[in-house]
Amino acid sequence: MGSGGSGGSGSFGSRPWLVPNLLLFGRVLRAAGVHVHRERMVDAIHATEWVGVKSRADLRATLCALLVHRHDDLPLFNEAFDLFFRAHGASELHMPLFSLGERARVVTRRDAGAPHRLDVEEPSADPAAAAAFALGAYSTVEVSRTRDFADFTATELEGARRLLLRLRWEPGIRRTRRWERSLRGDIDMPRLLRKNVMRGGELIELPRRVRREAPRPIVLLADVSGSMDRYSRMLLAFASGLTRSARHVESFVFATRLTRVSRYVAATGGHRVVSRMVRDLHDWGGGTRIGEALRTFNTTWARRVMRHGPVVLIVSDGWDRGDPELLGRELARVRRRCSRLIWLNPLLGSASYEPLTRGMQAALAHIDDFLPAHNLKSIEDLAHHLRHGITQHL
Amino acid sequence: MSRAPLSLPASVDALQDALAGERYIAERGLAVPIYLALKLRRPLFLEGEAGVGKTEVAKVLAAALKTTLIRLQCYEGLDVSQAVYEWNYPRQLLEIRMIEVATDLDRTAVTRELFTEAFLVKRPLLRAIEETRERAPVLLIDEIDRADEEFEGYLLEFLSDFQVTIPELGTIRAAEPPIVIITSNRTREVHDALKRRCVYSWIPYPSFEKELRIVSSKVPGASERLAHQVTAFVQELRTADLYKAAGISETLDWAAALVALDRDVLDADVIHETLGILLKNQEDIDSIRGERVSTILARALA
């Protein structure tokens, strides 16, 4: 192999420690949660020969180019790399540096490395007020279908969770730009020729085509602040059910800041997911700043998840500690980019509830549907509404 | 026709020099992945925000390797007829009419000729394969994130065997794999199966030093002072909380505009007049206008 390059090269024979170290590094990466594929390890080993291992920057670039294929994994890679090749001069990587203790650190530091640690606010004042509203929200006569989630016992919660996971979701359809064959629609000229010319140019078949239709994506933005605490378990089951049933669902949770949880929610198993999420998000149960959360959504995520006219579901009681003006502005921006904006408010289940909070007032001007989400029936109604109500509206 | 094989750079340094020869500044973090993609003959997957110079990599690489650049711009609904080939049916229809007018022609023989290369419209992927008969081209598959998953599936197949089958003509194979560069603005996550085949590189916004070098080399009319100030301002602006940050091309356009206005130094007024070149989002422009321009300018000039 022609090699050379800045770092020089050599056969593996002269650096017997290199291959075991690289393999070990691959294992560190895997342990840290980076998906490393075996074939890529082989490439990486060859590549270190070509690029050389004299320069640490080159080694980093080489391994990164071959072992990482996701932007999200880059910080993890860099951290693992620094840790693994730490304390050794740029020139030589003598011996295995890896120990179990170091592996654990790679994993735990993933959270600690998060850009801003949360200052969790005292959630006492708001939820107390919220509870006063929500407590009157159920009628004791009915069975669990119309009973407020907040009042469920543990068994009922589990039952409701299972029901939510099974619910069918069809968030309306959109027309894609891809063609498909059909009995009606425009005449498919290229196919018309292919099919008929061989028969001497007589038009025997008249193939037609239409634009294919596809379900709309769903974007879920769920409030997990202190005042929503009693609903959060159901919210998660709702999100999981949605993710399993509809094809393109993106989920986010927010209190004071916004976190994408699509991957957590897609994972099966309810309780474990909750506990893992609560552990990973410092935010759970804090105060709410909806406007700021939406701002983050609009600046960093909207470009990536607001494609193809999605239906946006915001689940929140509207108890907002942030600036209502900001909330209104950012919500208007969300509305411009989606096909339908639905706000689900658990408090709306209460007959006496009125959206008086300043945040909720600011939001009302921009949302298409303002619906309750406090019991099973309201969630089923929502599914029905999406299935039948939306397609005509658009 | 004799094949002229590509001469690939012998080392990362040689590659950096070759790119520099095309006035493209590639630091190690980018040069190493490009080098590896060439060496392994795997597609290079470039990801990064819009306007960091991903497409430019393909252009300068083609120039540096002295080969052709074939570009496929992706969009939703992109299908085989736009990406690979399509029969030119208007011409085929005309041909049929001509056959009908002429009386003494053998109809079956002529209709069979309707499906020959003369009526074939070759799209970028097919052209890239055919081009390899002379010399491997650089095939740029731009903004893959705009295409839908169906196309991604097709591309996966295409990248594994570099051949195209046209039922009426047969299978066309590449003499050697073309040099493939795939870019993505990450408006959606491209499937892992595709990325796994590629050498991956994330291109960040350029550092101050790098952007200054780019401005100086691409906008020669700008004085050293102006280039410095423009770069500093844009760098500072990128840290502001905006919906859409300015890319390198915006920096270059802005610098060129200031040169056209005979400006040698930045001030708040001229920034206000030309802000639309730098930011393309009205809400961003509104939020920066006024006080914040002065603040950012002050920080940039500090």
Side-chain angles (χ1 to χ4, degrees):
Chain A
M1 274 273 115
S3 55
S6 62
S9 72
S11 69
F12 294 125
S14 67
R15 290 198 183 86
W17 40 264
L18 182 60
V19 174
N21 262 303
L22 289 176
L23 291 175
L24 217 47
F25 180 62
R27 274 174 36 206
V28 172
L29 279 182
R30 270 184 220 115
V34 180
H35 297 273
V36 177
H37 293 271
R38 268 163 232 288
E39 325 158 33
R40 307 319 303 274
M41 269 324 292
V42 178
D43 284 343
I45 289 165
H46 285 301
T48 49
E49 282 287 287
W50 300 330
V51 178
V53 294
K54 285 256 160 58
S55 146
R56 185 194 280 227
D58 282 3
L59 182 62
R60 183 195 296 267
T62 302
L63 296 179
C64 186
L66 294 170
L67 302 181
V68 176
H69 52 267
R70 265 192 209 160
H71 177 244
D72 301 347
D73 288 341
L74 285 179
L76 272 181
F77 170 86
N78 282 325
E79 212 165 326
F81 184 89
D82 290 338
L83 200 59
F84 193 84
F85 296 107
R86 180 191 56 185
H88 284 256
S91 57
E92 294 289 317
L93 322 158
H94 292 289
M95 47 201 293
L97 307 170
F98 172 71
S99 71
L100 279 176
E102 279 176 336
R103 176 162 61 178
R105 275 183 59 194
V106 176
V107 182
T108 47
R109 284 177 61 186
R110 181 178 207 170
D111 297 335
H116 20 245
R117 254 205 112 96
L118 226 263
D119 50 326
V120 180
E121 295 182 13
E122 190 48 56
S124 60
D126 287 354
F133 273 120
L135 279 176
Y138 72 96
S139 120
T140 42
V141 191
E142 287 290 339
V143 279
S144 60
R145 180 141 286 152
T146 54
R147 188 157 165 198
D148 198 299
F149 290 141
D151 307 310
F152 273 10
T153 63
T155 351
E156 282 173 315
L157 276 176
E158 183 53 27
R161 202 179 64 82
R162 295 216 173 128
L163 278 172
L164 283 179
L165 284 177
R166 280 209 302 270
L167 208 57
R168 244 175 75 238
W169 293 95
E170 290 163 33
I173 50 168
R174 68 177 183 102
R175 183 185 290 174
T176 70
R177 297 198 51 198
R178 191 169 283 280
W179 293 102
E180 67 180 1
R181 295 174 194 178
S182 166
L183 290 174
R184 58 203 167 74
D186 302 337
I187 291 170
D188 184 347
M189 288 304 284
R191 265 189 90 224
L192 177 87
L193 264 126
R194 275 207 312 281
K195 297 219 78 159
N196 295 301
V197 161
M198 290 306 189
R199 297 171 181 143
E202 293 302 330
L203 296 185
I204 294 162
E205 278 184 61
L206 209 55
R208 292 173 182 276
R209 62 180 189 174
V210 291
R211 297 282 190 186
R212 182 185 297 167
E213 292 182 331
R216 290 187 180 276
I218 299 178
V219 176
L220 177 71
L221 296 159
D223 185 344
V224 292
S225 62
S227 62
M228 288 286 289
D229 224 14
R230 292 155 309 127
Y231 295 99
S232 52
R233 182 96 64 83
M234 284 300 105
L235 205 59
L236 218 68
F238 167 66
S240 299
L242 203 63
T243 307
R244 274 189 221 176
S245 163
R247 254 187 75 196
H248 296 287
V249 182
E250 286 286 349
S251 308
F252 297 84
V253 295
F254 62 89
T256 48
R257 68 184 172 101
L258 181 89
T259 314
R260 184 193 193 197
V261 293
S262 305
R263 278 201 221 173
Y264 290 100
V265 172
T268 46
H271 301 300
R272 257 179 305 142
V273 179
V274 182
S275 55
R276 207 167 74 225
M277 241 161 88
V278 174
R279 204 178 58 231
D280 288 6
L281 311 173
H282 313 295
D283 211 15
W284 201 278
T288 331
R289 292 189 194 283
I290 310 180
E292 275 155 55
L294 288 179
R295 166 106 197 149
T296 314
F297 177 76
N298 280 330
T299 47
T300 50
W301 293 102
R303 224 163 44 79
R304 297 174 56 189
V305 301
M306 294 289 274
R307 308 166 79 232
H308 308 319
V311 173
V312 175
L313 301 173
I314 296 179
V315 191
S316 170
D317 54 14
W319 286 101
D320 184 23
R321 296 184 155 202
D323 175 8
E325 209 171 291
L326 179 70
L327 170 60
R329 200 163 59 235
E330 295 302 326
L331 201 61
R333 196 177 167 84
V334 173
R335 178 62 193 94
R336 279 205 296 282
R337 290 181 160 205
C338 67
S339 63
R340 199 158 190 89
L341 179 56
I342 302 177
W343 189 299
L344 301 171
N345 190 334
L347 302 186
L348 201 56
S350 155
S352 57
Y353 171 75
E354 283 193 46
L356 296 176
T357 58
R358 292 200 306 152
M360 211 58 248
Q361 281 294 321
L364 278 176
H366 305 289
I367 57 189
D368 295 306
D369 303 286
F370 189 40
L371 301 170
H374 61 299
N375 58 19
L376 278 177
K377 184 168 180 311
S378 62
I379 303 279
E380 285 168 354
D381 286 348
L382 170 70
H384 186 265
H385 176 66
L386 283 177
R387 202 153 39 222
H388 302 287
I390 281 195
T391 320
Q392 298 100 289
H393 284 296
L394 299 175
Chain B
M1 135 182 90
S2 65
R3 272 177 53 77
L6 286 180
S7 65
L8 299 177
S11 67
V12 182
D13 292 328
L15 174 71
Q16 269 181 315
D17 291 345
L19 293 176
E22 300 299 325
R23 295 202 300 170
Y24 189 88
I25 299 143
E27 58 274 89
R28 287 311 259 197
L30 178 60
V32 168
I34 299 176
Y35 176 76
L36 288 174
L38 293 174
K39 193 92 184 169
L40 291 161
R41 259 320 152 87
R42 278 180 190 271
L44 177 63
F45 196 104
L46 296 177
E47 224 170 16
E49 302 296 332
V52 292
K54 300 185 291 292
T55 303
E56 198 66 14
V57 172
K59 289 184 185 162
V60 293
L61 189 61
L65 297 176
K66 298 185 177 54
T67 187
T68 344
L69 173 71
I70 297 175
R71 174 175 179 169
L72 174 67
Q73 171 64 50
C74 297
Y75 55 85
E76 198 210 337
L78 177 67
D79 59 7
V80 170
S81 70
Q82 292 304 305
V84 193
Y85 75 92
E86 169 172 57
W87 291 107
N88 187 345
Y89 71 86
R91 266 196 75 190
Q92 288 175 323
L93 281 174
L94 281 173
E95 190 76 6
I96 291 174
R97 294 304 291 267
M98 307 236 290
I99 295 164
E100 278 174 358
V101 174
T103 46
D104 55 343
L105 282 174
D106 174 358
R107 280 177 74 122
T108 47
V110 178
T111 49
R112 209 172 296 133
E113 270 166 34
L114 284 176
F115 288 97
T116 55
E117 239 181 293
F119 294 93
L120 193 66
V121 184
K122 293 168 187 170
R123 303 294 188 192
L125 296 187
L126 179 57
R127 279 196 284 129
I129 283 184
E130 290 205 324
E131 191 75 24
T132 58
R133 287 180 199 155
E134 286 185 52
R135 160 175 272 211
V138 171
L139 170 62
L140 168 64
I141 299 171
D142 217 0
E143 305 192 332
I144 178 78
D145 50 330
R146 284 173 184 249
D148 45 24
E149 276 119 11
E150 280 100 331
F151 180 71
E152 234 177 76
Y154 177 82
L155 196 60
L156 196 59
E157 197 184 310
F158 177 85
L159 293 178
S160 67
D161 36 76
F162 292 108
Q163 60 176 41
V164 165
T165 300
I166 303 171
E168 293 87 350
L169 291 181
T171 299
I172 303 164
R173 282 185 189 80
E176 65 174 310
I179 290 154
V180 182
I181 295 185
I182 304 174
T183 75
S184 164
N185 288 338
R186 220 163 65 105
T187 58
R188 74 180 167 88
E189 216 58 67
V190 172
H191 204 276
D192 271 355
L194 183 61
K195 286 167 134 189
R196 225 181 292 143
R197 277 171 202 275
C198 306
V199 175
Y200 176 85
S201 183
W202 171 264
I203 307 190
Y205 282 117
S207 63
F208 174 81
E209 288 73 22
K210 183 179 175 185
E211 193 161 27
L212 180 60
R213 279 166 70 197
I214 296 172
V215 171
S216 310
S217 82
K218 298 267 170 123
V219 190
S223 69
E224 200 176 312
R225 181 158 70 154
L226 183 68
H228 200 279
Q229 292 188 350
V230 161
T231 310
F233 186 84
V234 174
Q235 291 269 332
E236 203 54 57
L237 191 63
R238 284 199 192 111
T239 63
D241 181 28
L242 298 174
Y243 291 116
K244 179 75 190 68
I248 298 177
S249 52
E250 273 88 17
T251 315
L252 294 175
D253 287 348
W254 193 44
L258 293 168
V259 169
L261 292 173
D262 279 333
R263 283 305 185 131
D264 188 41
V265 61
L266 279 184
D267 59 48
D269 288 339
V270 76
I271 294 174
H272 277 117
E273 286 160 12
T274 51
L275 204 52
I277 298 172
L278 216 44
L279 299 173
K280 309 290 168 66
N281 185 311
Q282 193 52 45
E283 282 150 308
D284 283 344
I285 293 176
D286 289 344
S287 80
I288 292 290
R289 204 182 282 281
E291 199 89 328
R292 273 182 91 190
V293 162
S294 313
T295 325
I296 296 172
L297 182 62
R299 259 186 287 151
L301 300 185

